[in-house]
Amino acid sequence: MDNRIYFFDTTLRDGEQTPGVSLQTPEKVEIAQALVRLGLDVIEAGFPAASEGDFEAVSTIAREVRGCTIAALARSNENDVTRAAEALASAERSRLHVFIATSDIHLEYKLKKTREEVLAIVKHILEFAKGKFDEIEFSAEDASRTDLEYLCRVFEVAIEGGASILNVPDTVGYMTPEEFGNRIRYIKEHTKGIEKAIISVHCHNDLGLANANTLAAIEAGARQVECTMNGLGERAGNVAIEEVVMAVKTRHDHYPFDVHINTPLFTRTSKLVSKLCGVAVSPNKAIVGANAFAHESGIHQHGMLNNPTTYEIMTPASVGAEKTSIVLGKHSGRHAFEDHLVNLGFQLEEERVNELFVQFKALADKKKQVYDEDIYALVMDTMHHEQAFHVVQHDYHSDQNGYVLASIRVLTPNGERMDAAVGDGPVDASFRAIERLVNTPFVLEDFQIRSVTVGKDALGEAVVKVNYNGRRFQGRGVSTDIVKSSVNAYINAVNAIYLAKELEQEFGNQEG
Ligand code: KIV
Ligand code: ZN
């Protein structure tokens, strides 16, 4: 048996049935072109009889998109088939995808027809469609809940009528992998003429089993997979092409099948579909989620830095993702932290790295993610750790009129000192308390505060510029609390003055 798996994409048809998704024709054409580059064998461009818009989209895609077969969906009636033929008239290669429900539930409650009547409809519609398309695919809707013996009879009629692709949809995502695999095997063994046709599967993900069911069907003999990008589709969606393909490629030892898909285009195609459809991809989505190649735990990061195969079963490049990101957070270890420091250009002594690691852990406890800018700010903030003035304690309280009383305890070259002041805000009051404590006439000239990273838990960086005896000094402070970063910045400006030996009189400069 041919080992090649053919991929039929229904992002533009079943995918567009995702609640809230409605694509315009130019967007559909853009997606179709991207799917051709990805290597899809068939693109289901839409359901021409459903609306004028769908008809226009299918005919535009049929006219403009080259390099793959274009399919159009139709119910088993003459009008739908005629509209599909008209819409596909200029396709390089056209496929009719005609369907009818076959399960007793659908026959009784939806179609209100007997099994015999449905068989007659299939026979008639295939006779009607003959010669109007390059090929015909027949789908038995709700096949997974259809009586197996009857399903084989329906497929036999379809094969006799000229269908060369027989689709077995798990319309409601009800199957388990073992059941679905057995169903495909049964169809293969009990349908006359099946060797002339390709068995196709179309799995919905209601129980999260779409990929497992598809793979089981492939093992049992299915050779066409109907799928969507990012797993878009009705309700919980359809099977995601990226998941089926990467499972077959990554576990080729288990699934020895050929897939002709240009996998490095997965990430960019996923982003395009997500953007145009307005449906975000969950960060933990397999293959194309933002976290699919991100590692946070210290143990994993350590392993990854030694050898990526410890925690990665495929390379980011194989699906076009950016290189593995080691996300620093509270689970990161010292090894990954030091690696980040080196990447940022800091070659620090072990003791210094240890010190910074403690501060990083404290920061990571407060923030969900620690970015490179945060680490950079941490290192810069503590660059002059041996500085003369350290804030030991800082508090502030406000009254009902908006006045704030700030108190500050600082370790100075002359021992610990404490002072307090009132201001019209926490920063103002704290700055006044520092000025009283240092008791030196410097003047604040500039004060700026900005967020170093993103999110409401981002680090705030404060920068102050002060003038002392006609000279300008600068101080910088970083914290998730902007009052604290302001206080640190002001104290660091005092340190800068002290380092310049200007505060010798008051505190006795030890450097000199
Ligand atoms: O899920 C389904 O049964 C379908 C058919 C039209 C193939 O989408
Ligand atoms: Zn479907």
Side-chain angles (χ1 to χ4, degrees), residues 493-511:
V494 172
N495 275 314
I497 302 172
Y498 180 78
L499 277 176
K501 303 184 185 171
E502 296 280 353
L503 289 180
E504 217 167 338
Q505 264 186 338
E506 171 76 3
F507 294 98
N509 194 324
Q510 332 241 296
E511 315 268 303

Side-chain angles (χ1 to χ4, degrees), residues 373 377 448-453 459-463 476 482 485:
E373 290 90 332
Q448 287 190 21
I449 198 136
R450 70 174 184 105
S451 166
V452 178
T453 46
L459 279 183
E461 178 193 54
V463 177
R476 223 172 137 272
I482 55 168
S485 47

Side-chain angles (χ1 to χ4, degrees), residues 346 348 352 356 378-387:
F346 297 111
L348 303 173
R352 185 102 169 77
L356 282 166
L378 264 188
V379 178
M380 297 311 285
D381 190 41
T382 54
M383 217 60 177
H384 305 290
H385 215 102
E386 56 292 339
Q387 282 175 339

Side-chain angles (χ1 to χ4, degrees), residues 294-307:
H295 304 264
E296 206 213 83
S297 117
I299 296 167
H300 290 206
Q301 291 180 349
H302 193 169
M304 281 293 300
L305 292 169
N306 290 340
N307 185 332

